[in-house]
Amino acid sequence: MIMYDATWSISETTLCITDVENNEESERQINIFPNPNDGRFTLVRENYFSTVCRIYNIFGEVVLEEKVAGNSKSFDVDLPSGIYFLSLENGIDLKPVSIKFIILKP
């Protein structure tokens, strides 16, 4: 599973990734399973900070935003098949940590 750490700039609902690299520290911070999924998945993370979770489509538009507390959260989202990015602010320095996931509808 490849996870990404990036430098972000957000304008209105547009996500612009300016610097992406595979970051082993990010891999330890968040995980989504199953991936790919049908819109039902679980987010697991190492820290317990209350934080904002955003899901972006491939156009950089925010398609879901909600607060997350604890180290895991189950999602059941009604989104079309495609590639998405889940982004979390880490609660300390607000540097986002993100992971790519795929929704495949039957």
Side-chain angles (χ1 to χ4, degrees), residues 30-47:
I30 63 174
N31 193 10
I32 289 179
F33 65 89
N35 189 14
N37 60 67
D38 62 0
R40 293 176 293 185
F41 60 92
T42 300
L43 166 70
V44 177
R45 61 197 187 123
E46 285 188 3
N47 71 46

Side-chain angles (χ1 to χ4, degrees), residues 52-88:
V52 176
C53 171
R54 291 183 184 93
I55 296 177
Y56 297 89
N57 63 19
I58 59 170
F59 302 108
E61 301 165 329
V62 176
V63 295
L64 179 79
E65 178 175 320
E66 60 183 75
K67 290 194 177 196
V68 175
N71 67 336
S72 68
K73 172 143 178 74
S74 294
F75 290 85
D76 188 357
V77 296
D78 186 21
L79 295 170
S81 294
I83 298 171
Y84 295 88
F85 296 89
L86 185 143
S87 175
L88 293 173

Side-chain angles (χ1 to χ4, degrees), residues 85-99:
F85 296 89
L86 185 143
S87 175
L88 293 173
E89 294 176 351
N90 68 13
I92 298 171
D93 59 10
L94 302 180
K95 180 180 177 184
V97 177
S98 63
I99 184 170

